[in-house]
Amino acid sequence: MKYLLKNGTVVSGDQSEKMDVLIDGEKIVKVGCGIVSEDAQVIDVSGKLLFPGFIDGHTHFDLEVAGTVTADDFETGTRAALAGGTTMVVDFASQDKGGHTLKEGLEKWHKKADGKCSCDYSFHMSIVEWNEDTEREIQDMIREGITSFKLYMTYPAMIVDDCDLYKIIKKLNEYGCFAGVHCENAGVIDALIAEAKAEGRMGPENHPLVRPDTMEAEAVHRLLVIAGEAGAPVMVVHLTNKKAYEEIMEAREKGQKVYAETCPQYLLLEDSVYSRPDFEGAKFVCAPPIRKKEDQDCLWEALARGDIQTVATDQCSFTLAQKAMGKDDFTKIPGGLPGVQTRGSLLYTYGVREGRITKEQMCRLLSENAARLYGLYPRKGIIQEGSDADIVVFDPDKEDVISAKTHAYNTDNNPFEGFALHGGIDKVFLRGNLAVENGKVVMEKLGTYIPRGKKQI
Ligand code: DUC
Ligand code: ZN
């Protein structure tokens, strides 16, 4: 199928320009002014912004958490993502502890995802055990198109100690790869949980108190000292707060390569949500937790300065019934929030429209930088000749209000319930297929696994 998008504003990380875009099959074949084509279907996109398809580098679909499984699997989750302009997700596949291989983890995630996705997809690989076999497997992963990895400094089933952290990030760097790291101090958090329980503090309002910003910042600091010693780049995923941000800036001043990612919940929600009555605070339980207004302000300013490379979602959704597993004990509430459907429109509404970031920065944060970080550029992350025809036709005048009644997730709650949106998704092209029209998914399950190359950033 051939499409000619006429009179839209093509947004890149550097500039925005009124141009036409010609799509033939899966690719963009021409970008310029006054393009004519005799056989293309012409779509007038006057007044619309054309972004390269958004890439979400942090999702958890079909994931077992706290004795349950996320409400959204790859089918419902990628459909919601596509409706929100995300044409590619990079989900977290994981090795299991107890002598299991990375290969087994990858096969497991392919089984969860293959044939079910409505947007393109790839995986990071979480390494939870390190030995000579795992080390050898890194090259197998690279051959499979997995070039980014994940390490956890918390969670018993996932945690790696400082010794392995050092060895892994050093080895990954030798192969031109890197890890995103979940930074929280596991030991002190355990102690704070024990204190809360001993005092009979069992409600969700205790969640941010046992996972304080200081213990995220401590872990970021430790990670970056270790990474400095290893001479290796690392990424701090889901950065939430000012103290942790300052640790990143300090390491960069010393010449270290540190990438950072944050998420809409840390930009737009405050920790008072955990004190909402009737157990509503449970909806917002995620790790690290939502922080304070001054942290939000710090993150927005960091986005504007380009100090944070990407805004992902950490999508990990649960129903209220699942959240109620922790009714009498907040530590049993499965952690995570949905977010893939509204990342673009929230960043536009509360970032671009409010003058905190430009639309070009939005393009970098949602698409271009993720493509560069995860070895997808310029196949993805840019609207140019030869790139995949992944295009978001964004309507800056579209008005909406986020609600669990109308969202596409398989959940009955939305952390952004009631948030007004000024600007939203009109159409989405996924590799040349007009898969979303008027904000609704009209073509499903066209997503394909995308093997990735090495980072270009
Ligand atoms: N944090 C969550 O809240 N859920 C899933 C994984 C994570 O790091
Ligand atoms: Zn996560």
Side-chain angles (χ1 to χ4, degrees):
M1 190 73 194
K2 246 175 146 174
Y3 291 101
L4 177 57
L5 309 186
K6 290 293 285 181
N7 304 316
T9 298
V10 175
V11 185
S12 77
D14 302 321
Q15 58 179 2
S16 301
E17 227 180 315
K18 208 162 184 195
M19 283 191 289
D20 303 334
V21 180
L22 185 63
I23 297 169
D24 191 359
E26 296 208 338
K27 296 288 180 186
I28 295 166
V29 291
K30 207 167 180 187
V31 182
C33 297
I35 298 176
V36 273
S37 167
E38 307 222 314
D39 51 351
Q41 182 182 329
V42 178
I43 301 178
D44 181 17
V45 288
S46 310
K48 307 289 193 290
L49 303 173
L50 305 186
F51 287 99
F54 302 147
I55 299 165
D56 190 337
H58 195 146
T59 65
H60 301 281
F61 298 129
D62 201 351
L63 180 71
E64 285 170 42
V65 179
T68 187
V69 181
T70 54
D72 284 287
D73 60 9
F74 280 87
E75 183 171 337
T76 60
T78 59
R79 203 193 298 135
L82 186 70
T86 290
T87 51
M88 173 142 183
V89 295
V90 191
D91 200 85
F92 289 91
S94 184
Q95 177 192 29
D96 285 322
K97 274 211 170 146
H100 293 282
T101 61
L102 301 183
K103 184 166 181 272
E104 286 170 324
L106 184 58
E107 282 169 1
K108 195 163 154 187
W109 253 262
H110 269 298
K111 242 183 231 145
K112 290 173 191 248
D114 293 352
K116 299 192 189 113
C117 292
S118 288
C119 67
D120 285 349
Y121 61 100
S122 175
F123 309 114
H124 310 281
M125 176 54 66
S126 303
I127 301 172
V128 303
E129 258 169 16
W130 187 244
N131 52 45
E132 280 172 15
D133 293 335
T134 330
E135 191 176 323
R136 262 193 299 277
E137 280 199 278
I138 298 296
Q139 289 173 82
D140 301 337
M141 289 298 111
I142 295 169
R143 272 192 290 277
E144 295 291 328
I146 309 284
T147 52
S148 51
F149 295 80
K150 172 92 175 268
L151 299 170
Y152 288 84
M153 297 172 81
T154 186
Y155 298 141
M158 313 297 278
I159 193 167
V160 291
D161 64 19
D162 293 348
C163 169
D164 285 346
L165 196 59
Y166 170 81
K167 289 182 191 164
I168 297 169
I169 57 182
K170 188 168 179 181
K171 185 52 70 180
L172 292 178
N173 186 41
E174 284 173 25
Y175 290 120
C177 299
F178 69 98
V181 184
H182 180 133
C183 298
E184 284 187 294
N185 179 310
V188 176
I189 288 171
D190 281 348
L192 292 172
I193 289 173
E195 280 177 18
K197 288 188 172 178
E199 291 161 17
R201 294 188 281 116
M202 301 302 268
E205 64 282 1
N206 293 290
H207 176 69
L209 305 179
V210 303
R211 308 187 88 97
D213 58 349
T214 50
M215 289 301 112
E216 181 181 339
E218 185 283 328
V220 170
H221 178 82
R222 185 158 32 99
L223 168 70
L224 297 183
V225 172
I226 292 168
E229 195 59 40
V234 280
M235 175 183 242
V236 174
V237 295
H238 45 49
L239 174 71
T240 72
N241 74 82
K242 187 163 186 277
K243 293 186 180 86
Y245 165 76
E246 285 167 353
E247 296 290 348
I248 292 172
M249 295 312 287
E250 210 171 288
R252 284 185 185 156
E253 271 160 34
K254 290 183 197 142
Q256 284 183 238
K257 191 81 166 160
V258 187
Y259 310 114
E261 167 206 271
T262 192
C263 312
Q265 55 270 33
Y266 304 121
L267 293 164
L268 296 168
L269 299 172
E270 284 181 50
D271 63 355
S272 56
V273 293
Y274 294 113
S275 301
R276 289 194 190 172
D278 303 323
F279 197 60
E280 202 197 329
K283 273 193 341 198
F284 303 93
V285 166
C286 61
I290 287 155
R291 308 289 187 193
K292 300 200 179 295
K293 176 78 171 63
E294 65 161 354
D295 297 305
Q296 280 181 19
D297 292 343
C298 166
L299 294 175
W300 279 113
E301 284 159 24
L303 292 181
R305 283 193 297 268
D307 291 341
I308 294 175
Q309 282 64 49
T310 185
V311 175
T313 60
D314 202 4
Q315 157 88 28
C316 187
S317 61
F318 298 98
T319 62
L320 292 175
Q322 289 177 299
K323 291 277 184 184
M325 289 164 60
K327 194 91 191 79
D328 303 316
D329 176 355
F330 70 95
T331 63
K332 295 197 166 63
I333 299 169
L337 317 175
V340 287
Q341 194 181 358
T342 53
R343 183 177 56 128
S345 37
L346 282 171
L347 207 65
Y348 185 81
T349 303
Y350 296 95
V352 177
R353 274 185 60 114
E354 294 201 1
R356 287 160 155 159
I357 56 169
T358 64
K359 55 185 179 306
E360 292 77 20
Q361 286 174 316
M362 170 169 156
C363 175
R364 259 178 261 157
L365 291 164
L366 295 189
S367 187
E368 185 182 313
N369 286 351
R372 290 183 188 276
L373 281 162
Y374 301 128
L376 295 162
Y377 192 86
R379 176 174 179 182
K380 297 187 184 288
I382 186 162
I383 296 177
Q384 72 172 21
E385 196 181 310
S387 296
D388 279 0
D390 294 342
I391 298 174
V392 180
V393 180
F394 193 89
D395 181 353
D397 299 320
K398 191 169 180 170
E399 304 272 316
D400 207 353
V401 177
I402 297 177
S403 171
K405 291 201 177 74
T406 51
H407 70 198
Y409 308 118
N410 195 27
T411 59
D412 50 3
N413 65 96
N414 191 308
F416 302 105
E417 184 76 33
F419 271 64
L421 297 174
H422 306 287
I425 310 303
D426 178 21
K427 297 178 180 42
V428 181
F429 289 87
L430 173 67
R431 280 177 290 100
N433 297 287
L434 181 48
V436 173
E437 286 194 80
N438 225 338
K440 297 269 175 296
V441 174
V442 292
M443 292 177 103
E444 292 189 27
K445 297 192 185 174
L446 295 178
T448 182
Y449 175 74
I450 307 285
R452 297 182 286 114
K454 307 269 175 81
K455 64 178 156 56
Q456 303 124 298
I457 190 164

